[in-house]
Amino acid sequence: MTECKFFSMMIQYAKTEPDLWSLVLSAPNTDAYVAMGFSEDGKMVGASAVVGWFNRSGVGTIKQYYLGGEEEEEVVPDQGKLTLINASTTIVSKDSRLYLAFQVRVPALEPKIIYSVGPRNGVPSSNNVLSEHRDQVSTYFDYANGKSEEVNLDEETLKIGHGIVNIVGWTVLLPIGALLARCLKKYEPLWFYIHATTQTLGFSVGLAGVVMGLVLEDRIDPQNITTHKVIGIIVLALGVIQVMALIARPAKESKRRRYWNWYHHCVGRVCIAMAVGNVFYGIDVGGENKSWYIGYGVYLGVWVLFCVVVGIMCSRK
């Protein structure tokens, strides 16, 4: 038996067949649901959970849920990646504790487990919709020796920081620098110094975001991020090329200047476009909720409209 310090939860388990696991989760009975989720990365989104509770009539229920997101409608009952043996599920209330017994058929259980407890006196109604949990903890569980340790949830903060810093660097500061170069062209050489300073700042912030992503990858070993990582590296490489291009910038009178301008403008646009696409892709692989899509989409819409208006005004001068 292994005891989890979170809400005095305990779990007993046994591998009775090569691919059959028997588990019993016990927790204090607070007239709330209790849940045990199995996650690839220690996070709620994307995990499958076994949830149990007693309703007001004293009838016990155990169901599997797929945790597709942080909104209630994204937590879907009777779905998930676990092959739950329905005939094996039992829930018992005894001595002020709940006991959830169930079996799952899977060669190996995910070592990162999420425990959560619902709001007091807030068990699901007949539609089986789960209210937001009161508390939760993520642990790394070693099935070989029955030991567990809490997962550092600061990684979630690092993930959010990685997204915000990259958004600011690659898709806020760099486009601002490009727009300033277009609109301040007549203020020679002031426009160049403003443009170069803004782009260098944007590149530096974006580079910090990339480093945060590499640190995050090392800590949580996430799945299915290869494409996101490759695009990020390409964006970084294009950013390095743009910074280096300032050193190789031909004189204004040089015949090569027109070709340099063409290359510099094209590479910059491709860099920003790929960064924007990778932000959306990162929101997807990060399992963030719809508010991230909406918020970033609104920002892009406002920014594009602003650029069009400013571009028209600059061209008339």
Side-chain angles (χ1 to χ4, degrees), residues 192-238:
F192 173 74
Y193 294 116
I194 293 177
H195 172 67
T197 300
T198 306
Q199 299 307 77
T200 301
L201 177 61
F203 173 77
S204 301
V205 174
L207 177 60
V210 172
V211 172
M212 291 172 67
L214 295 174
V215 172
L216 183 64
E217 179 189 21
D218 182 64
R219 287 190 182 182
I220 66 175
D221 190 24
Q223 305 295 316
N224 303 321
I225 66 158
T226 302
T227 302
H228 179 62
K229 181 179 178 181
V230 169
I231 296 174
I233 292 174
I234 293 174
V235 170
L236 177 62
L238 293 175

Side-chain angles (χ1 to χ4, degrees), residues 12 31 44 46-47 81 114 149 167 185 190 196 225 252 259 272 276 279 299 301 305 315:
Q12 292 177 291
D31 292 325
M44 166 188 163
K81 301 176 183 178
I114 304 168
E149 60 183 36
I167 287 173
K185 207 76 171 183
L190 179 62
I225 66 158
K252 193 172 183 179
Y259 301 107
I272 293 172
V276 169
V279 167
Y299 156 72
L305 180 61
S315 63

Side-chain angles (χ1 to χ4, degrees), residues 159-173:
K159 183 176 74 170
I160 294 174
H162 163 69
I164 292 176
V165 170
N166 276 302
I167 287 173
V168 172
W170 299 111
T171 73
V172 175
L173 291 175

Side-chain angles (χ1 to χ4, degrees), residues 64-110:
Q64 180 180 185
Y65 283 77
Y66 176 67
L67 312 180
E70 298 181 357
E71 307 297 332
E72 285 187 358
E73 62 271 17
E74 297 175 307
V75 179
V76 187
D78 299 317
Q79 292 190 27
K81 301 176 183 178
L82 301 172
T83 304
L84 183 65
I85 311 299
N86 292 325
S88 70
T89 59
T90 303
I91 182 169
V92 176
S93 177
K94 183 179 180 181
D95 299 329
S96 299
R97 291 186 70 86
L98 288 180
Y99 295 86
L100 279 68
F102 57 95
Q103 290 183 316
V104 292
R105 191 171 293 280
V106 62
L109 290 169
E110 295 290 350

